[in-house]
Amino acid sequence: MDPTLSCGEYILHLKCLAPAIIHAMEEKIYKIFVSEKQGFYNAAGESAKKDFSDFGIDSVEAVSFVQAYYIKAALSGGQIETICKEILADPVTQEYIVHSPQAKVHRQKIKDFHIIEIAYNPGVMDPWEESLKKAVADLGIKNDIKAKTSKIYK
């Protein structure tokens, strides 16, 4: 404590510093992609492949499925890893990749496939959002989060 400040001035000084400390962790959008590990049955992908076949599209050789989560929050790297490991991915059968705004993403050109991403329209409630918020709070992470999900077929 600064000896030149009275107790009341010191408390006021701390209150003025608190917003700066709280906002030190910037809100970011994390993109998290969860997919089955190699060697595990991809039920959603196989189901989609069968659906294409049922519609008479027999040229589809394989379909991969990825569950995408878009989380907007002020979280540390450790907190986002905890969320991924404890809530979003099954560590035995699934793997995940986290992309954040500062991450460098290496893209490569791949031919002969299509990507379809299915998400809720703006204004339509995403049922995963409330469940995810509750699960994150149950982990003891009190940060306010916003979340959206989508399904990606490749």
Side-chain angles (χ1 to χ4, degrees), residues 72-91:
K72 184 177 183 180
L75 298 168
S76 69
Q79 287 173 316
I80 201 72
E81 286 294 320
T82 299
I83 291 168
C84 292
K85 289 177 182 175
E86 299 294 326
I87 299 171
L88 302 180
D90 176 345

Side-chain angles (χ1 to χ4, degrees), residues 90-139:
D90 176 345
V92 175
T93 63
Q94 296 177 318
E95 57 191 2
Y96 63 89
I97 298 171
V98 178
H99 293 287
S100 61
Q102 67 277 11
K104 293 186 181 190
V105 179
H106 300 285
R107 302 186 197 290
Q108 59 185 126
K109 288 186 177 183
I110 302 173
K111 297 180 181 181
D112 299 329
F113 76 86
H114 299 279
I115 295 175
I116 301 170
E117 183 169 8
I118 302 169
Y120 290 96
N121 286 330
V124 176
M125 189 197 97
D126 186 341
W128 269 95
E129 183 174 11
E130 288 305 314
S131 296
L132 185 57
K133 284 181 177 181
K134 182 174 179 342
V136 168
D138 289 347
L139 285 176

Side-chain angles (χ1 to χ4, degrees), residues 36-40 93 95:
E36 298 300 319
K37 289 180 179 177
Q38 286 290 331
F40 285 91
T93 63
E95 57 191 2

